[in-house]
Amino acid sequence: MRKFLIGLIAISLFASTSEAARSKFTKFPGLGYCTGTYVRYREDPDTDSEILGRLNDPDRVIVLGQTTNNGQLWYEIEDPEGDGTGFVFGKYIEPVYGKTEQETIAYEIMVNILQNYGINKTKAKLYSGPKGKTQYTDNYLSFLEVSKKGNSFGDISIGDSLGDLIDAMGEPDLNDEDEIIEYNVDEDTVLRFILEDEKIVRMVFEG
């Protein structure tokens, strides 16, 4: 009986640990960072698979999903240096933001911006869509301003109305007389929408 109970406790602890590991990201795609040094990412979620590149702490990556192989958690990431995707051991990737932030629409749009405009300079060079003013901190996109037709932040585009913006994103964290609308992912990451005649004329990401 005692061995049986110990076994149940061990299984329960293992399941809890596995569940915790699998719940670090509440949705995909998400924004993660590497916690190790010289961490390989591979073509498939297998240690025998081809090595595509390496990550180092605190490299940031777009995390597309997760899978398991032989009980090991792997995350699928966008290749930081080119097209395509790769897989990296789950224990070396952590979310940049907590679960609360990950549940916001502002977070979803921020991740979409990093995907579409390029999370780093290498990825930005591969982007062929409408351009904007950009700044990079430690090689990662930290500022983006767009004002031309064709630019979009997720489902929000230049020319959309104030009503469209609020319908899509909910009530803002800042509303300056319907001229500047802001949504915060956290205190350091903001999406700013500048309006004229209740139409979006500029959109800014700061992170």
Side-chain angles (χ1 to χ4, degrees), residues 2 5 47 57 60 63 77 155 157 160 165 187:
R2 183 182 177 189
L5 289 174
T47 54
D57 184 1
R60 292 192 173 193
V63 182
I77 63 169
D155 294 330
S157 301
D160 285 353
L165 176 62
E187 61 183 11

Side-chain angles (χ1 to χ4, degrees), residues 39-80:
V39 176
R40 302 172 181 89
Y41 60 93
R42 299 174 180 273
E43 185 175 13
D44 297 300
D46 190 311
T47 54
D48 292 328
S49 181
E50 179 183 352
I51 297 170
L52 302 178
R54 291 171 174 81
L55 302 170
N56 289 286
D57 184 1
D59 289 346
R60 292 192 173 193
V61 290
I62 300 295
V63 182
L64 301 174
Q66 63 188 33
T67 188
T68 56
N69 186 9
N70 293 325
Q72 295 288 340
L73 175 67
W74 294 75
Y75 285 119
E76 183 177 13
I77 63 169
E78 288 191 355
D79 187 336

Side-chain angles (χ1 to χ4, degrees), residues 150-167:
N151 280 292
S152 297
F153 282 8
D155 294 330
I156 309 300
S157 301
I158 295 294
D160 285 353
S161 70
L162 173 62
D164 292 335
L165 176 62
I166 293 178
D167 285 345

